[in-house]
Amino acid sequence: MGPSKDASSLDNAEADASGSESASSSPASSSPASARPAPENRVLKRILSVPSVKDMSDVLSVADGKDRAVGLLQYVALFASGGRPGPLTSIGLGLNDARRPFRLYKPVESMLPLLRRGGPRGEGAMRALEIVKACSMTAYVACDHVVWAGQVGALRQDTAMMRWARRVSFGGWATGAAAMAAAKTVDLARELSARYRLDVERRAGLWNVDDPTDADEWARRATGVEERAYRAGLDVASGATQALVALALLGAVPVEKRKLSALGMLMSLVGIYQVWLGSIPAEDEETNERSIGEGESAEEGGGEAKKSL
């Protein structure tokens, strides 16, 4: 079913959306359809829950999950050491090196958005951000491999190339993470606007909430928009945190070592949840685009944030 009245009443509803609602403007509160259970927001439920042993086993079954889980242990050790030399710092640095094999394929994976048919998704500024993110993350991981080669003795560390590779690695990480955060902020704003639009349509009577089929369809679409909004919000938090950590490691932003380790713990924990959320199938975006009129649905964003050093 779909909107049941003329869309011209939508403008009037938007003007009254922030005001008080009368009994007639919220029929869902008294209709038989309102007794039906609303679709579960799977993304929010998972964000607010603690992964079980089986869940963590699923996360650790992929290289991305292993990398982020070891990263969490790395930053816990560095946080406990407070940046002072000792066994805990040595453990943290050792775990950092242990993460490198999980990223061997990352330079190629980071370039895939540029290599697929049609190139990066989006247009204008969004397409530019996608290109910046792909190129920056590729430079980050590729140069990180060069730094690793120097640390294990395959290349000399006291060279200008090694110093250049280290700076390009951190700079690429910061730039790519910031580009992702910017793009996902736009997606988040779009989804929040879409959710508001659905409420306006219901207040305008464009959805017959007395009809169980219409009420269920509205609730399903609203839940789909909310799930994508939570995913985008998690991506924004991940990108912003990664950019800050990278800038601190680059020396561009002064951050105390223990605070930097705390940011790393938060970043790794968000990354684990992103991998976990990746197992939730995405809602059909085309269906939601039809429901919100001019609103454009966000691209699925779980797990696009790249790894930390």
Side-chain angles (χ1 to χ4, degrees), residues 19-31:
S20 60
E21 294 186 72
S22 63
S24 60
S25 66
S26 55
S29 62
S30 59
S31 67

Side-chain angles (χ1 to χ4, degrees), residues 198-219:
L198 280 171
D199 279 336
V200 170
E201 288 177 351
R202 188 179 66 173
R203 293 189 183 101
L206 301 182
W207 292 88
N208 182 9
V209 292
D210 290 319
D211 179 358
T213 302
D214 232 22
D216 288 348
E217 178 66 8
W218 183 93

Side-chain angles (χ1 to χ4, degrees), residues 51-192:
S52 65
V53 174
K54 181 183 180 304
D55 295 328
M56 284 305 301
S57 178
D58 292 339
V59 170
L60 295 174
S61 66
V62 296
D64 211 18
K66 293 184 181 75
D67 183 24
R68 296 174 194 233
V70 176
L72 178 60
L73 297 177
Q74 167 198 341
Y75 284 112
V76 167
L78 293 175
F79 178 82
S81 72
R84 296 184 297 272
L88 289 175
T89 298
S90 298
I91 291 173
L93 296 177
L95 290 172
N96 179 50
D97 290 337
R99 301 173 61 188
R100 262 46 183 270
F102 301 133
R103 309 181 205 164
L104 288 176
Y105 182 67
K106 282 298 173 183
V108 177
E109 182 181 344
S110 299
M111 285 298 292
L112 288 180
L114 302 183
L115 300 177
R116 64 191 173 202
R117 174 178 288 185
R121 297 190 182 101
E123 298 179 355
M126 295 298 290
R127 184 182 181 89
L129 286 173
E130 183 78 11
I131 294 173
V132 169
K133 183 186 74 173
C135 294
S136 299
M137 285 300 184
T138 299
Y140 155 49
V141 186
C143 290
D144 188 48
H145 289 344
V146 175
V147 174
W148 183 28
Q151 291 175 342
V152 298
L155 295 174
R156 290 181 55 187
Q157 292 198 58
D158 57 341
T159 62
M161 182 190 74
M162 197 62 62
R163 291 190 293 271
W164 176 85
R166 186 174 289 106
R167 293 189 65 83
V168 171
S169 177
F170 288 139
W173 182 19
T175 304
M180 185 194 72
K184 292 303 176 181
T185 298
V186 175
D187 287 345
L188 176 59
R190 182 183 297 125
E191 296 301 343
L192 293 176

